[in-house]
Amino acid sequence: MENTTNLNISNLSENTFDESKVEKLSPLELLKRVGPGIVLTGIVIGPGAVTTAAMIGAKYGYSLMWMYIMIAFMGSTYVMATYRLSLLTGIPTIHAIRHYYGPAAAGFTSIALFLTCCFFTIGNISGTGAGMSLIFGINWKLGAVIMIAVLVYCYFSKGVYGKVEKGVGLCVIGMIIAFYVVLIGTGGPDWSQFGVGLVKWQFPEGSMTTALGFLSTHAALTTGIYGTYLGAEKKWKKEDLFNGTMMADSIAHVVGVILISAAVMLVAAIVLNPIGKVVSSPTELAEMLVPVMGSIARPIMGVALLGAGFSSLLGNTQRGVVLLNAGFDRPTSLEDKSIRIGALIVLAVSAVICFAYGGSPTQLIFIANLATAIATPVSGLFIVMMLWRKDTNGGLKKAPTALRVCMTGCYIVCLFLTFSSLKSLLGF
């Protein structure tokens, strides 16, 4: 994507656009247009998300299944709000923040988001290595180096976005198959308890902090923000907001996240919760499944963990550099040299830290969560304000009242989640 300094979007509200004349796409045509939502799914479902889902299922059983209803609502709201603003203004989110609220606001937001992505990259490297170790029995560091080499090839070859989309798509499919093989292998859930967990909305004693952190990572505003830059790579147009593309893409994202994460939580609820065993990593979960599924548990969980780590690594590393460049009005195309070099530097530094610490240390996750706690309220405030402006409606006669109300409500919940997590992180 080109720099947007010279874009003239001041007269958008003066140009009328009749969405009723836009034809709906067929299912086959929609399949060709969607894609960013799948990449976003791969980014969200990393080793950290898998670990957290397993921990919640192991400790609280089916009690927090209802949170997936909130994830579906908040996740789709964030994606649709950011997509809408991007397509109607003609520029992605951080560039829009820069246009309407100045370079300082855009720069601050992008730096915080960049730091968040950098620290989570470390966890993705260790998760990818752990997956290779479970599948092939090799040292996890060697496995991580092999997959980093594959990643660098993807970044420096032609058609970067296409390779990322296909690579993450394969990882997501692999995760879904692997986790559901594991779920079937455990005998499946207790459907009566599953139903109770969906309708009984309450936090078991001591679960609020973990649950809120789980919700804020699965339904993240950062996801929607980066999606607007992937949409530019996909060459989405204003018509895609009304022909079914945006809705299909957001549904693909949310359904993918829920399918994978819920399977992990259910496996932990079935196998670990009855014996009171809590795990701290997906590797431990694989070992706990051996008595239930036999030795096949390790390679199956390895495939799932490799998919989680590599898909998140593939999208997250680029995401950080793209968002950083966006804040300073620099190129954001995945083909641009600065994005490729920046991603390579982030990978190299993250790998050194990861190998030195022997994995993803708690201190670095703390910093990542702290950076998120700073960036999310700021970027969310700008998105809410832009959504309520009249000059961001792209010439449409009808204002998006329902989306405005939903986004504002989700932002309020987001603030509560963020400050609750920040309070916990800082020990208040």
Side-chain angles (χ1 to χ4, degrees), residues 35 37-47 50 124 127-128 131-132 135 147-148 150-151 154-155 162-180 252 256-257 259-261 264 299-316:
I38 303 299
V39 177
L40 298 177
T41 297
I43 293 174
V44 170
I45 302 296
V50 172
N124 294 333
T128 301
M132 291 287 284
I135 297 172
M147 296 313 297
I148 287 175
V150 175
L151 192 69
C154 293
Y155 285 167
K163 288 184 172 60
V164 170
E165 186 179 289
K166 290 182 176 64
V168 173
L170 289 173
C171 288
V172 169
I173 292 172
M175 281 190 282
I176 292 174
I177 294 173
F179 281 126
Y180 278 88
V257 168
L259 278 178
I260 298 169
S261 180
V264 178
I300 290 177
M301 280 298 297
V303 170
L305 185 54
L306 178 61
F310 187 71
S311 64
S312 189
L313 193 63
L314 189 60
N316 182 70

Side-chain angles (χ1 to χ4, degrees), residues 116-177:
T116 300
C117 295
C118 286
F119 290 114
F120 281 124
T121 292
I122 297 171
N124 294 333
I125 291 174
S126 63
T128 301
M132 291 287 284
S133 177
L134 285 172
I135 297 172
F136 301 107
I138 61 178
N139 181 278
W140 74 270
K141 292 182 179 180
L142 175 60
V145 169
I146 292 172
M147 296 313 297
I148 287 175
V150 175
L151 192 69
V152 171
Y153 165 75
C154 293
Y155 285 167
F156 282 86
S157 59
K158 293 183 179 180
V160 178
Y161 174 77
K163 288 184 172 60
V164 170
E165 186 179 289
K166 290 182 176 64
V168 173
L170 289 173
C171 288
V172 169
I173 292 172
M175 281 190 282
I176 292 174
I177 294 173

Side-chain angles (χ1 to χ4, degrees), residues 21-94:
K21 295 182 179 180
V22 179
E23 295 183 3
K24 298 293 184 180
L25 297 181
S26 67
L28 183 59
E29 291 172 324
L30 284 176
L31 283 176
K32 296 177 181 179
R33 297 298 292 163
V34 299
I38 303 299
V39 177
L40 298 177
T41 297
I43 293 174
V44 170
I45 302 296
V50 172
T51 301
T52 307
M55 291 173 63
I56 289 178
K59 192 168 184 178
Y60 305 109
Y62 299 87
S63 301
L64 291 171
M65 291 302 300
W66 59 268
M67 295 193 70
Y68 287 106
I69 298 176
M70 290 194 67
I71 288 170
F73 178 74
M74 293 179 66
S76 57
T77 298
Y78 290 153
V79 171
M80 288 301 296
T82 50
Y83 280 2
R84 179 186 177 89
L85 285 170
S86 174
L87 291 174
L88 293 185
T89 61
I91 49 177
T93 302
I94 294 181

Side-chain angles (χ1 to χ4, degrees), residues 192 266 383:
S192 61
L266 286 171
I383 290 170

